[in-house]
Amino acid sequence: MKHNLKVDLNGLELKNPITVASGTYGFGREYAEYMDLNILSAISVKGLTLEPRKGNEGKRIAETPMGMINSVGLQNPGVYEFIRQEIPFLRQYDLKIIANINGNTIDEYCEIARILDQADVDSIELNISCPNVKNGGLAFGTNPKVVKEVVSKVRKATSKHLIVKLSPNVTDIKEIARIVEEQGANCISMINTVTGMAIDIHSRRPVLKRGSGGLSGPAIKPIAIKLIHDVYQTVKIPILGMGGIMSGGDAVEFMLAGASAIAIGTGNFVNPTLPKMALEGVTQYLEDYAYESTQHLVGDLR
Amino acid sequence: MKHNLKVDLNGLELKNPITVASGTYGFGREYAEYMDLNILSAISVKGLTLEPRKGNEGKRIAETPMGMINSVGLQNPGVYEFIRQEIPFLRQYDLKIIANINGNTIDEYCEIARILDQADVDSIELNISCPNVKNGGLAFGTNPKVVKEVVSKVRKATSKHLIVKLSPNVTDIKEIARIVEEQGANCISMINTVTGMAIDIHSRRPVLKRGSGGLSGPAIKPIAIKLIHDVYQTVKIPILGMGGIMSGGDAVEFMLAGASAIAIGTGNFVNPTLPKMALEGVTQYLEDYAYESTQHLVGDLR
Amino acid sequence: MKFSGRVKIIETIQLQDDIFKITVERPVEVETIIPGQFFNILATTSGLPLLRRPISVSQITDETLEFTIKVLGKGTEWLAHKAVGSYLEIMGPLGNGFEIDGNLKKVLLLGGGIGVAPIKGLLEYLSQNDVECDSVIGFRDLPIFSEEFIRNSMHNEIISEKNSAYKQGYVTGYFEQLVKESSYDAIFACGPEAMLRSITKVADKFGLKLQLLMEEKMACGIGACLVCTCKVKDGDFDYKHVRKCKEGPMFYSNEVIFDEA
Amino acid sequence: MKFSGRVKIIETIQLQDDIFKITVERPVEVETIIPGQFFNILATTSGLPLLRRPISVSQITDETLEFTIKVLGKGTEWLAHKAVGSYLEIMGPLGNGFEIDGNLKKVLLLGGGIGVAPIKGLLEYLSQNDVECDSVIGFRDLPIFSEEFIRNSMHNEIISEKNSAYKQGYVTGYFEQLVKESSYDAIFACGPEAMLRSITKVADKFGLKLQLLMEEKMACGIGACLVCTCKVKDGDFDYKHVRKCKEGPMFYSNEVIFDEA
Ligand SMILES: Cc1cc2nc3c(=O)[nH]c(=O)nc-3n(C[C@H](O)[C@H](O)[C@H](O)COP(=O)(O)OP(=O)(O)OC[C@H]3O[C@@H](n4cnc5c(N)ncnc54)[C@H](O)[C@@H]3O)c2cc1C
Ligand SMILES: Cc1cc2nc3c(=O)[nH]c(=O)nc-3n(C[C@H](O)[C@H](O)[C@H](O)COP(=O)(O)OP(=O)(O)OC[C@H]3O[C@@H](n4cnc5c(N)ncnc54)[C@H](O)[C@@H]3O)c2cc1C
Ligand SMILES: Cc1cc2nc3c(=O)[nH]c(=O)nc-3n(C[C@H](O)[C@H](O)[C@H](O)COP(=O)(O)O)c2cc1C
Ligand SMILES: Cc1cc2nc3c(=O)[nH]c(=O)nc-3n(C[C@H](O)[C@H](O)[C@H](O)COP(=O)(O)O)c2cc1C
Ligand code: FES
Ligand code: FES
C-alpha cells in the first residue's frame, strides 16, 4: 500500500511529516555528509538574528538524565549571510526552508521578517523564547501581551508562511496559543526547550558558564506531549511537534497527541540518520494500523 | 571529623538534611521494613484531604525516559484517620512529621489546617498544585492571587510550622515564592511534579486513564535545580528541595542550588535505602570538601 | 527487615525466542516464599529503565529462586541477557501470594502465556505436598513448561491458539468443561487480563471463587506509592482501591471489579 | 557519505585500573584517518547516557582502529566493559587532526594523562614515516604506553607526579628545557587544559606555535549544534567562536584564547 505522507501545515506543503529542529541541524551542511537531505521534508535552520552573533562564551552544554541543557546563545552568521551562503546550498535539496528568527526587540523581529520576506525561504519560524530584558528577563513568549504585539507586528511585516514557536515555560500555554492563532500565524511549533540548570558539585559552579539553559531530549517528551495535546484541543492551526523524539514510535506519539508534522532535534546527535529511521517507522505504523495517510493519524486518540 | 548535619528550616529543626517526599513514602509503614526510619529527619506523608478519598480509577502510572508520570488522585484515608492511626505509628521513630494537605476549596484547606493545628504533627505542607476548578482547571498554585489568598488564610488557621509546596508549572516562580514568603510561610518546598502525558501508540489512548499526570524522577532534576536556584535568590525563607534526587551527589547539587534540606521521592522506588545512602553521600562530601556543617553548603556556589 | 540486595545469577536458559528462565542464588535472609509472590528487580546498570520490574517466582528451592521472563521491552530484555555469574538487585518476596489451605485435596490450575510461570511454581509446591492437581495451560503458539505440567498434574491440557500440534482454543472453554465434570477445593489462575476476566465470568456462573494473580505496572512494589490499583468490591454497593503489590497480586475472582475491555 | 555504523570489538586490554585499550575492526568505508582525529561513539545499549562520547584514535592500521579510554563516568565505563565480539556504533573520523607537513624532520610530542593516547597514534605514524621524534609524557602516577614511547622516540622522558620510579615534575618544565636545547619543525601536544595552558605560555615566550589537541564536552560531534566552542583570536583585537569538533580539535597555540583558570 502506498501511503499518503503529505502534510499541509496550513499553507506550507510538506512531502512527509519529518523535519529537523532549529539549532540542532545547523544549515544542513554537516548532516548532509551522513544522510541524504532529500529525505527531510523541511529544515528549520539555526536561529537567525539581524547581525552576526558570536554566541555565549564558555561552557555551553551540560548532559542530564536523558537530556541535555544548551546555552549556545544564538551564535549565527546573521540573516544576510544566511541568505547569501546558506539558501543556495539548501536549494540543492528537495526540502522546505524554515527560517527561525530571533530578535532583541520587537522591531528587530519585524526587520528580520521583512528581509526574509524578500528571500527564498518557504516559511518563517518566530522564536519567541529568547529572554527579553523588558519582560524582566523572561522570554517574549511567556507574556501574553508581548506575544500579541510581536506576532501581530511580524504578521504584518511578511506575507510568508508564519510559524510561531512556543515556549513550554508558561503557566497556561493555551492562552498563548489562542493569541498566536488570532494574530494570524499559520502554524504553531512546539516545544522549545524547558529552562534547566546543572551544577558541578566538584567545582561548585553551574556547569554552563551562563548558569542556566534550555533542556532538550527524551526527558522532556512527556511535557511536550501534554502541551501539544492541550494546544491541539485549543486552536485550529496545525502544530509542528518536537521535544525528545528518538524513534518512529515517538513521532507517531506526537502525531496522535495532535502534531501534524514533527521535528527531530537532540535525536540527531545520537543517531545522524534518525530522520530517515523515523520516516520509515511512521510509514510502517501507517501500514500496520491501516491508515491511508498521515493526516488521519493527527490527534486520532480513542 | 564530626559534621554538624542539623538543619533549621526556620522553626522546624531537622537532625539531618534528608527527608522523604509526600506521596512516595505512604505513612512510612512499608519502607520501615527495608530501612531504619530513624535515619530520616522527616517524612512528608501522603497528601491528606478532609474526607477519605478513593483516588483516580484505572491506570495511574506511565514510565517515561528517566521519569514516571503518576495520577494517583490523592487516595488517602482522610485527616482524621491519619491522626488516629498514622501519627502514633510514626511517633515510634525519631523523625519529624510533615502533614501534606490538599483541599478542593480554600475553606477546605483551612479546615484541614485547623484540625492538624491540634494534632501531633511538626509541620504542615500546603500542597497548592492540585487542580482548581475555579481557576480553569489550573492548579491553585499557578495563580498569584489565589496563592496569596490560600496561604494567608491557612497561615491564620494554624500556628504550626508552615511549608508551602510550589508547582513548577508556572511562568514566574519567583513571583509566587515572594507571595508565599510575604504571607508568612516558614519554608518553601519545591518542586512538585511537572505536568506530563504519555500515549500508548498501540492502543491509541493516553497511558493514564486520566490523560495527564505529574512527571517525577531524574528527568526533571535540571528543572528543579533551576527553579530552586531562582527562588533561593528571591526569598529569605529556607527551601526544602526535591525533584529526581537519586544519590548523595544529587542531594549536594540541590543544596548548592539553595535547598537547606532535600526530599527523596521517586528515588525510593528504585532504591529503598536511598535516604541512608544519600545521607552517607552528603556526609562524605562535607568531609571531602571540608565543610563544617550542612548549612555552609546551602547556596555555596562560587 | 525484608530482603533487598544482590543475588547471583547461576543459570539462564532460553526456553523460547523471547522467554528466558533465570535461576539465582536464594539469599539466606529470605525465609518463606509463597507461590504467587514476586520480587521487584532492578533491570539496568545504566539507570534506564528507571523503575524496577516485578517478576514472580516460578520455582522456589532451599538454595535457589527461579524467574521466568518474557521479553517485552527494555527491562525484560536486559534481565534476559544479564550474564551468568553477575548479580541482580532484587527486593522481596512481595505481596500476597496464593492462599494455600492445608486441607486442599484436589485443585485446578489455569495459566495463560507467561502467566504459567507462577502457576508452575504453585504446581510444583502443591504436588510436593501431595495435592492432586488438574491443570490447563494456554499459549498463543508453542508452550513452555509442558513437561513440568504433565509430570505434576493428574490431568493436564495444553492449548494453543496457533499451533496445531496442540489442542485448539482458549483456556476458558476447557475450564468450563472441567468445572462441570469435577469439583475442586481451590482454583488458581494467572494470565492476561482478558483471560482472567473471561474465566471470572464462568466462575461467577458456577458460583466459584478463583484465586487470580493479577498484573499491573508498578513503581515501589511494596505499597507506598499507590499507583498499582485494583478496584475491588466494598460491601454490596460500593468499591474501593487496593494495591495490587500489597493486598495482591492474588485476588479472589468474586472481589475484583474488572475494567471494561 | 561519511561513516556512521557498527564496528566489531576485536580486543580489549586493561592497561591500568581505569584505562582500557579497545581495538575494533576498521570499516572499509573509512578511507584516510589523520592522527588527532576522533570518532563519536554511542556508549549505551539502554539509551543512557544519551549523548555519544568523542574518543581519539590511538592507533590506526589498515585493518584496525584502536581507542584508549580512561573510565571517568558512565559512558567510558560502558565502553571499557563492552564485550569483545560485540559491536560499537561509531561515526567519523571527525574534526581536523594534527597538521603533518611532508617535510618534517624533527618534532616534539607532549602528552599528559589520557592525552597521551592520540599522541601515541601520532608518534607511531611519524616514526613510520621516519620523522625523528622527541617526546615527554606525564602522569599523575603510573604511565601508559611507556614502551611505545621509548621505542619510537629518539629522546623520551616519562614523568610522574606521584610515582618515584619516574622523573618527578610536570611536562611543562621538561618542555621548556627541551626547546631551549633543540629546535623542532613542529611540536604537538595533548593533555588536560591546565597543561595545555601552561605549555602555551612557555611556547609564547619562545615564539613557538604548538599544535594542541583540545577537549570539550560534545553533542553532535560534527559541527551542527555549536555547543563545543573554542574561543580563538580574530585579527589582533577581536575573538571568534569556532567549533572544537569541526575546526578543531587541533588548534595552534597562538590562536587559542584560554578560559581563565
Ligand atoms: C506481580 C507481577 C508479577 C509478574 N511476573 C512476571 C513473570 O514472572 N514473568 C514475566 O515475564 N513478567 C512478569 N510480570 C510482567 C513484567 O513485570 C513486565 O512484563 C515487565 O515489567 C515489562 O518490562 P519491560 O521493560 O520489558 O517492558 P516495557 O518497556 O515496560 O513495556 C514494553 C511493552 O510491553 C507492554 N507491557 C508492559 N508491561 C506489560 C504487562 N504487564 N502486560 C502486557 N504488556 C505489558 C508495554 O505497554 C509496552 O508496550 C509480572 C508483573 C507483575 C505485576
Ligand atoms: C576530541 C576528543 C577526544 C577524546 N579522546 C579521548 C580518548 O582518546 N580517550 C579518553 O579516555 N577520553 C577521550 N576524550 C574524553 C572523553 O570523551 C570523556 O572522558 C568522556 O566523554 C567522558 O564520558 P563519561 O560518560 O565516562 O563521563 P561523564 O559521566 O560524562 O563525566 C564523568 C565525570 O568526568 C568529568 N569529565 C567528563 N568529561 C571530561 C573531560 N573531557 N575531562 C575531564 N573531566 C571530564 C565530568 O565532569 C564528570 O565529573 C576525548 C574528548 C574529546 C572532545
Ligand atoms: C543545541 C540546541 C540549539 C538550539 N537552538 C535553537 C534555536 O536557535 N532556535 C530555536 O527556536 N530553537 C532552538 N533549539 C530548540 C530545538 O529546536 C527544539 O525545540 C528543542 O531542542 C526540543 O526538541 P528536542 O528535544 O528534540 O531537541 C535548540 C536546541 C538545541 C539542543
Ligand atoms: C506517586 C507519587 C505521588 C505523589 N503524591 C504527592 C502528594 O500527595 N502530595 C504532594 O505534595 N506531592 C506528591 N508527589 C510529588 C512528590 O512529593 C515530589 O514533589 C515529586 O515527585 C518530585 O520529586 P521526585 O522526582 O524525587 O519524585 C507525588 C509523587 C509521586 C511520584
Ligand atoms: S507499586 Fe507502589 S503501591 Fe503498588
Ligand atoms: S559538538 Fe556539535 S558543533 Fe561540536
Side-chain angles (χ1 to χ4, degrees):
Chain A
M1 188 163 127
K2 186 83 186 87
H3 301 280
N4 181 357
L5 292 169
K6 286 210 188 103
V7 174
D8 178 359
L9 290 182
N10 190 17
L12 181 70
E13 308 266 346
L14 302 182
K15 67 187 174 215
N16 69 51
I18 311 295
T19 77
V20 286
S22 177
T24 68
Y25 224 75
F27 300 97
R29 289 181 188 271
E30 295 80 16
Y31 280 107
E33 298 189 303
Y34 292 88
M35 202 188 67
D36 179 1
L37 295 193
N38 291 303
I39 284 161
L40 301 175
S41 65
I43 176 177
S44 172
V45 300
K46 174 65 200 166
L48 301 167
T49 53
L50 196 54
E51 303 296 329
R53 289 244 200 126
K54 291 186 166 125
N56 294 335
E57 291 186 48
K59 190 89 156 181
R60 291 176 173 185
I61 179 173
E63 193 170 357
T64 67
M66 291 309 273
M68 60 174 273
I69 318 179
N70 85 80
S71 79
V72 170
L74 289 173
Q75 176 177 343
N76 82 96
V79 65
Y80 292 108
E81 188 67 10
F82 162 69
I83 293 172
R84 201 161 31 236
Q85 294 288 341
E86 306 299 346
I87 295 182
F89 170 77
L90 284 168
R91 279 294 172 231
Q92 298 173 271
Y93 300 96
D94 171 30
L95 47 70
K96 298 289 159 88
I97 303 175
I98 303 174
N100 182 278
I101 69 170
N102 303 267
N104 279 321
T105 61
I106 293 184
D107 283 349
E108 216 171 287
Y109 273 110
C110 292
E111 191 169 343
I112 308 172
R114 268 190 298 269
I115 294 164
L116 285 166
D117 190 61
Q118 304 304 314
D120 183 19
V121 299
D122 301 295
S123 176
I124 294 176
E125 182 177 46
L126 191 61
N127 178 15
I128 51 176
S129 308
C130 328
N132 171 2
V133 184
K134 285 196 199 138
N135 191 19
L138 294 173
F140 282 89
T142 59
N143 182 328
K145 281 197 216 92
V146 181
V147 171
K148 185 167 174 184
E149 195 180 337
V150 65
V151 178
S152 81
K153 289 199 171 151
V154 170
R155 177 68 293 177
K156 283 176 198 124
T158 175
S159 57
K160 294 266 181 194
H161 181 267
L162 180 64
I163 303 174
V164 177
K165 185 161 181 179
L166 302 192
S167 164
N169 305 300
V170 295
T171 305
D172 186 3
I173 204 159
K174 294 186 230 161
E175 183 189 7
I176 307 275
R178 238 178 258 118
I179 293 170
V180 165
E181 179 175 46
E182 280 162 15
Q183 298 310 315
N186 300 87
C187 175
I188 283 172
S189 63
M190 62 190 292
I191 60 174
N192 213 315
T193 53
V194 180
T195 311
M197 181 170 178
I199 292 170
D200 181 334
I201 65 170
H202 302 297
S203 69
R204 294 212 303 282
R205 290 203 171 95
V207 177
L208 301 175
K209 184 95 178 250
R210 275 275 168 141
S212 61
L215 178 65
S216 64
I220 68 168
K221 195 182 77 165
I223 304 174
I225 295 286
K226 158 69 175 152
L227 295 176
I228 289 171
H229 181 76
D230 281 359
V231 168
Y232 180 71
Q233 241 78 37
T234 307
V235 299
K236 295 213 173 56
I237 54 176
I239 299 168
L240 174 58
M242 67 202 73
I245 295 175
M246 299 297 288
S247 66
D250 287 345
V252 169
E253 189 178 352
F254 274 71
M255 296 179 77
L256 289 172
S260 293
I262 62 95
I264 292 168
T266 303
N268 293 306
F269 310 155
V270 179
N271 178 354
T273 57
L274 182 54
K276 183 162 176 282
M277 283 180 46
L279 182 58
E280 285 161 7
V282 171
T283 311
Q284 187 62 50
Y285 185 90
L286 296 177
E287 178 75 35
D288 293 349
Y289 288 84
Y291 280 99
E292 262 172 51
S293 80
T294 42
Q295 287 321 286
H296 288 101
L297 198 62
V298 180
D300 191 32
L301 289 178
R302 280 196 276 182
Chain B
M1 186 164 127
K2 187 84 187 82
H3 300 280
N4 182 357
L5 292 170
K6 285 206 189 109
V7 175
D8 179 359
L9 289 183
N10 190 18
L12 182 69
E13 307 266 344
L14 303 181
K15 68 189 176 215
N16 69 50
I18 311 295
T19 78
V20 285
S22 176
T24 67
Y25 224 76
F27 300 98
R29 289 180 189 271
E30 295 79 17
Y31 279 107
E33 297 189 305
Y34 292 88
M35 200 189 67
D36 179 2
L37 294 194
N38 292 303
I39 283 162
L40 300 175
S41 65
I43 176 177
S44 172
V45 301
K46 175 66 202 167
L48 301 166
T49 53
L50 196 56
E51 304 295 333
R53 287 245 200 127
K54 290 187 166 125
N56 294 337
E57 292 186 47
K59 189 88 156 183
R60 291 177 174 185
I61 179 174
E63 194 170 358
T64 66
M66 290 311 272
M68 61 174 271
I69 318 178
N70 86 81
S71 79
V72 169
L74 290 172
Q75 177 176 344
N76 84 96
V79 65
Y80 292 108
E81 188 68 10
F82 162 69
I83 294 172
R84 201 159 36 234
Q85 295 289 340
E86 307 299 345
I87 294 182
F89 170 78
L90 284 169
R91 280 296 174 229
Q92 299 172 275
Y93 301 95
D94 172 30
L95 49 70
K96 297 291 160 82
I97 303 176
I98 302 173
N100 182 278
I101 70 170
N102 303 268
N104 278 322
T105 61
I106 293 184
D107 284 350
E108 216 172 288
Y109 273 110
C110 292
E111 192 170 344
I112 310 173
R114 269 190 297 268
I115 295 165
L116 286 166
D117 190 61
Q118 305 303 313
D120 183 18
V121 298
D122 301 295
S123 175
I124 293 175
E125 180 176 48
L126 192 63
N127 178 14
I128 50 174
S129 306
C130 329
N132 172 3
V133 184
K134 284 195 197 140
N135 191 18
L138 294 173
F140 282 89
T142 58
N143 182 329
K145 283 197 215 92
V146 182
V147 171
K148 184 167 177 186
E149 195 180 338
V150 64
V151 177
S152 81
K153 288 197 170 153
V154 170
R155 177 68 293 177
K156 284 177 198 120
T158 176
S159 57
K160 294 267 183 196
H161 182 266
L162 180 65
I163 303 173
V164 176
K165 185 161 183 179
L166 302 192
S167 163
N169 305 301
V170 295
T171 305
D172 186 3
I173 204 159
K174 295 186 230 162
E175 181 188 9
I176 308 275
R178 239 179 257 119
I179 293 170
V180 164
E181 180 175 46
E182 280 161 16
Q183 298 309 315
N186 300 88
C187 176
I188 282 172
S189 63
M190 62 192 291
I191 59 170
N192 213 315
T193 53
V194 180
T195 311
M197 181 171 179
I199 292 170
D200 181 332
I201 65 169
H202 301 296
S203 70
R204 294 212 304 282
R205 291 200 170 97
V207 177
L208 301 174
K209 184 94 178 243
R210 275 274 169 141
S212 61
L215 179 65
S216 64
I220 68 169
K221 195 182 77 164
I223 303 174
I225 294 287
K226 158 69 175 154
L227 295 175
I228 289 170
H229 182 76
D230 281 358
V231 168
Y232 180 71
Q233 241 78 39
T234 308
V235 300
K236 294 213 172 54
I237 55 175
I239 298 168
L240 173 58
M242 67 203 72
I245 295 176
M246 299 298 288
S247 67
D250 287 345
V252 169
E253 190 178 352
F254 274 71
M255 297 178 76
L256 289 172
S260 293
I262 63 93
I264 291 168
T266 302
N268 292 304
F269 310 155
V270 180
N271 178 355
T273 58
L274 183 54
K276 183 162 176 286
M277 283 180 45
L279 182 58
E280 287 161 4
V282 171
T283 312
Q284 188 60 52
Y285 185 89
L286 296 177
E287 178 76 34
D288 293 347
Y289 288 84
Y291 279 100
E292 263 171 50
S293 80
T294 41
Q295 286 321 286
H296 288 101
L297 198 61
V298 180
D300 192 32
L301 289 180
R302 282 195 278 180
Chain C
M1 290 290 134
K2 284 218 183 151
F3 182 74
S4 172
R6 296 186 341 152
V7 294
K8 190 172 185 168
I9 302 179
I10 305 170
E11 186 185 70
T12 297
I13 296 178
Q14 182 164 10
L15 302 180
Q16 281 182 14
D17 270 5
D18 57 352
I19 301 184
F20 296 77
K21 198 177 79 174
I22 303 175
T23 310
V24 302
E25 279 176 5
R26 178 174 173 158
V28 287
E29 297 92 330
V30 173
E31 293 175 5
T32 334
I33 308 177
I34 295 161
Q37 284 191 306
F38 67 96
F39 284 81
N40 212 7
I41 308 183
L42 205 64
T44 174
T45 357
S46 72
L48 188 77
L50 180 65
L51 300 172
R52 287 170 181 250
R53 272 30 187 171
I55 303 288
S56 311
V57 283
S58 58
Q59 189 182 63
I60 308 152
T61 74
D62 288 349
E63 280 83 38
T64 63
L65 303 176
E66 178 192 281
F67 302 112
T68 307
I69 294 178
K70 184 183 161 82
V71 174
L72 269 178
K74 277 192 181 158
T76 47
E77 171 87 33
W78 186 91
L79 289 170
H81 294 101
K82 183 78 173 142
V84 171
S86 69
Y87 290 82
L88 291 180
E89 279 283 343
I90 72 173
M91 58 191 286
L94 300 173
N96 288 311
F98 292 113
E99 273 179 21
I100 303 167
D101 186 323
N103 302 322
L104 294 181
K105 297 262 149 41
K106 187 178 176 190
V107 302
L108 174 60
L109 288 80
L110 309 169
I114 190 64
V116 302
I119 293 291
K120 190 209 79 165
L122 174 67
L123 175 71
E124 287 172 339
Y125 175 90
L126 291 171
S127 70
Q128 272 158 32
N129 288 279
D130 299 322
V131 180
E132 187 186 322
C133 300
D134 286 357
S135 61
V136 183
I137 52 177
F139 301 89
R140 178 89 24 113
D141 194 346
L142 284 174
I144 53 170
F145 297 135
S146 50
E147 280 178 33
E148 287 84 344
F149 273 90
I150 292 168
R151 187 181 336 122
N152 294 303
S153 305
M154 186 67 108
H155 177 86
N156 167 265
E157 301 281 1
I158 300 176
I159 301 164
S160 176
E161 286 175 42
K162 295 207 304 203
N163 196 305
S164 55
Y166 300 89
K167 290 202 178 154
Q168 304 291 290
Y170 293 94
V171 171
T172 319
Y174 289 85
F175 163 56
E176 179 150 8
Q177 208 171 299
L178 282 171
V179 293
K180 275 185 191 152
E181 291 164 4
S182 313
S183 87
Y184 296 101
D185 301 332
I187 303 171
F188 306 93
C190 183
E193 182 150 325
M195 169 187 139
L196 298 184
R197 203 188 302 121
S198 69
I199 60 173
T200 294
K201 274 206 190 122
V202 174
D204 288 350
K205 202 165 75 179
F206 290 91
L208 298 168
K209 190 169 105 171
L210 314 182
Q211 296 193 28
L212 307 178
L213 212 58
M214 295 188 64
E215 272 200 20
E216 182 58 272
K217 177 90 192 157
M218 293 180 177
C220 72
I222 64 171
C225 74
L226 308 182
V227 304
C228 65
T229 296
C230 188
K231 192 171 171 181
V232 297
K233 290 172 193 154
D234 188 17
D236 283 345
F237 304 105
D238 205 358
Y239 75 91
K240 64 181 176 190
H241 281 130
V242 295
R243 299 162 293 186
K244 282 209 178 117
C245 69
K246 186 81 181 178
E247 283 77 24
M250 191 287 281
F251 293 96
Y252 284 102
S253 60
N254 62 338
E255 290 175 350
V256 176
I257 304 171
F258 282 94
D259 246 22
E260 281 123 71
Chain D
M1 292 287 134
K2 285 218 185 153
F3 181 75
S4 172
R6 295 183 345 149
V7 294
K8 189 172 189 170
I9 301 179
I10 304 171
E11 185 185 68
T12 297
I13 297 177
Q14 183 163 9
L15 301 181
Q16 280 181 15
D17 271 5
D18 57 354
I19 300 184
F20 296 77
K21 198 178 80 177
I22 303 175
T23 310
V24 302
E25 278 176 6
R26 177 173 174 160
V28 285
E29 297 91 331
V30 174
E31 293 177 4
T32 333
I33 309 178
I34 294 161
Q37 284 192 305
F38 67 96
F39 284 81
N40 212 8
I41 308 182
L42 205 64
T44 175
T45 355
S46 72
L48 189 78
L50 180 65
L51 299 174
R52 289 171 180 247
R53 273 27 190 175
I55 303 289
S56 310
V57 283
S58 58
Q59 190 181 64
I60 308 152
T61 74
D62 287 348
E63 279 83 37
T64 63
L65 302 177
E66 178 192 281
F67 302 111
T68 306
I69 294 179
K70 183 181 162 84
V71 173
L72 269 180
K74 278 191 182 158
T76 45
E77 171 87 32
W78 185 92
L79 288 170
H81 293 99
K82 184 75 175 145
V84 171
S86 69
Y87 290 81
L88 291 180
E89 278 283 343
I90 72 172
M91 58 192 283
L94 300 172
N96 288 312
F98 292 112
E99 273 180 22
I100 305 168
D101 186 323
N103 302 322
L104 295 179
K105 297 259 148 47
K106 188 177 176 191
V107 303
L108 174 61
L109 288 79
L110 309 168
I114 189 64
V116 301
I119 294 290
K120 190 208 76 164
L122 173 66
L123 175 70
E124 288 172 338
Y125 175 87
L126 290 172
S127 72
Q128 274 159 30
N129 287 279
D130 299 322
V131 181
E132 186 187 321
C133 301
D134 287 356
S135 61
V136 184
I137 52 177
F139 302 89
R140 179 88 25 111
D141 194 345
L142 285 174
I144 53 169
F145 296 136
S146 49
E147 279 177 36
E148 286 84 345
F149 273 89
I150 292 169
R151 189 181 335 122
N152 294 302
S153 304
M154 185 68 107
H155 177 88
N156 167 263
E157 302 281 1
I158 300 176
I159 302 165
S160 175
E161 286 175 42
K162 294 206 308 202
N163 197 304
S164 55
Y166 300 90
K167 292 204 178 153
Q168 306 290 292
Y170 293 94
V171 172
T172 318
Y174 289 84
F175 163 56
E176 179 150 7
Q177 209 170 300
L178 282 171
V179 293
K180 274 185 193 152
E181 292 164 5
S182 313
S183 88
Y184 296 101
D185 300 332
I187 304 171
F188 306 94
C190 183
E193 181 148 329
M195 169 187 138
L196 299 184
R197 205 189 299 119
S198 68
I199 59 172
T200 294
K201 274 206 189 119
V202 174
D204 287 350
K205 204 165 71 181
F206 290 90
L208 298 168
K209 190 170 108 172
L210 316 181
Q211 296 194 28
L212 307 176
L213 212 58
M214 296 189 65
E215 272 199 19
E216 182 58 89
K217 177 88 192 159
M218 293 180 177
C220 72
I222 63 172
C225 74
L226 309 183
V227 303
C228 65
T229 296
C230 188
K231 193 171 170 180
V232 297
K233 289 172 194 153
D234 188 17
D236 284 345
F237 305 104
D238 204 359
Y239 75 90
K240 64 181 176 189
H241 281 129
V242 294
R243 299 162 293 185
K244 281 208 179 117
C245 69
K246 187 81 179 177
E247 283 77 24
M250 191 286 283
F251 293 95
Y252 283 102
S253 60
N254 62 338
E255 291 174 350
V256 175
I257 304 172
F258 283 95
D259 245 21
E260 281 122 73

